[in-house]
Amino acid sequence: MVKHGHPTYRLGRIKEYATCTHFSLALVALSDLTNPSTISIYTTPLLSFPHNHSLSIFFLCFKNFLRFKKQIPQIKKNHISELNAIKIFQFHPRKSQSIPMADDRRGVVGYALLPKKQQSFIQDSLLSLCKSKGVDLVKIDQDRLLTDQGPFDCVLHKLYGEHWRKQLEEFQIQNPHSTIIDSPASIERLHNRISMLQVVSELKIESETDTFGIPKQIVIYDKETLFDRQSWEFLKYPVIAKPLIADGSAKSHKMALVFNHEGLNKLKPPIVLQEFVNHGGVIFKVYVVGEFVKCVKRKSLPDVSEEKLKSLEGSLSFSQVSNLTSDERNGDKYYKLMDLEDTELPPQSFITDIARGLRRGLKLNLFNFDVIRDARIGNRYLVIDINYFPGYAKMPGYETALTDFFCDLVGKSWGEEKEKDGIDKRQLVCNCDVEVRKIVSNTCCSDGEEQEKSPILQV
């Protein structure tokens, strides 16, 4: 039988109190643990119960309580009552800072991005808007284990490698209510230019006026097949040569427009040969952020007429239009310069249906896809590329779309906890110190108006 004063007995009582969200009682039970070495005896087991968020939240609150207690000498260790604990918990006289209640909750989105991606995506405008809506974007320390950080309502990432993938898996096991955006397995599908477009062929979307598909293409794994014209005689010149692997590296962006057989000499398999389709020199980039869909137009490669093709030889490398700066791409002068003003966008409902179909098929929330309009058939659209977590800063109003998305994620995270435990975790009172997150309600972005949000895909 475990004695009353034994650590195991005390831990059991603390767990019972915290599980039932009786934080003040649990706080009293831990109030005499002022020695750091003694605290670790109890806090380490506490943190081993990751499936119960109330425990981890309680521990963060308790750490703040200990700090406050040391700064309030008139409260002695042996005279801490439940009432005193509640008072200290709710208000710190020296900081004169009230504890945020249910209407001032905050959510936390941890992000793990490469430096270049972080610089382009984590703009002050995004941070400010998220903060005003009750969501804090927190940088994940990539030198520390993910499971040692947080708590996070959502982990936003664009990192690759087996080590990172394993960290995400362990974090998800310990934090089942947190959302990973997005699944590494789903992201990897877009690293292959053949598999990325297979999902397009599987979509079934009804439209009375418009059709869609993908260009004719083939993957070439060796030089022998490359120079065997009969192996891909169904393709007509010109063709676009793309590296098979699309992992975001500089090498994966090296593409060429091949006009005849001589142009094959510079190509290095494995590559994808995709038939070039005249499309009026305009490409439509469709950005997807959860349920949000935004289509914009950009300049693309010029059309190649049959007459002009006869005079062209070899191949021509080309750089992506996306290398333009954000300011150039968003300004009116840019569109006038590129003669895009008169270009009609594809039907919004049609593009939205394709976007949602791709989202379901790919099981991804953050991506964009490139669409061209076949110049031979005005109502025929071809999806030519899909990219994970693209340069959203190039999309007008990206801050609003991403902030709304984060709010949906946080609302879903707390909704799942309430459904599982039967306790509304959004009503928990937490300290506003940096270590403790403030909880965000399901309607943090609705400005007081309840809106029904679609579920966030989580795999």
Side-chain angles (χ1 to χ4, degrees), residues 7 11 36-46:
L11 174 62
S37 62
T38 309
I39 291 175
S40 64
I41 297 176
Y42 303 107
T43 57
T44 301
L46 272 175

Side-chain angles (χ1 to χ4, degrees), residues 397-413:
Y398 95 102
E399 299 92 342
T400 301
L402 268 298
T403 299
D404 289 346
F405 177 66
F406 294 147
C407 286
D408 284 346
L409 291 177
V410 172
K412 174 177 178 288
S413 173

Side-chain angles (χ1 to χ4, degrees), residues 228-288:
D228 181 10
R229 189 65 179 93
Q230 292 183 345
S231 298
W232 46 281
E233 61 181 356
F234 64 94
L235 295 181
K236 295 182 179 179
Y237 286 114
V239 295
I240 297 178
K242 304 179 179 181
L244 176 63
I245 303 302
D247 57 3
S249 63
K251 183 180 179 180
S252 67
H253 289 311
K254 291 184 178 180
M255 306 180 192
L257 187 60
V258 182
F259 303 109
N260 55 27
H261 190 74
E262 292 182 3
L264 303 176
N265 294 320
K266 296 181 180 180
L267 303 182
K268 297 180 180 180
I271 58 173
V272 172
L273 295 182
Q274 189 178 85
E275 188 170 283
F276 178 79
V277 177
N278 286 331
H279 52 282
V282 178
I283 190 171
F284 304 103
K285 287 189 170 289
V286 184
Y287 293 90
V288 180

Side-chain angles (χ1 to χ4, degrees), residues 183-194:
S183 163
S186 298
I187 296 172
E188 286 180 3
R189 181 172 183 175
L190 298 187
H191 288 175
N192 182 297
R193 284 198 163 90
I194 293 296

Side-chain angles (χ1 to χ4, degrees), residues 314-327:
S315 62
L316 177 68
S317 62
F318 60 95
S319 59
Q320 295 179 303
V321 178
S322 59
N323 290 332
L324 289 171
T325 64
S326 178
D327 290 337

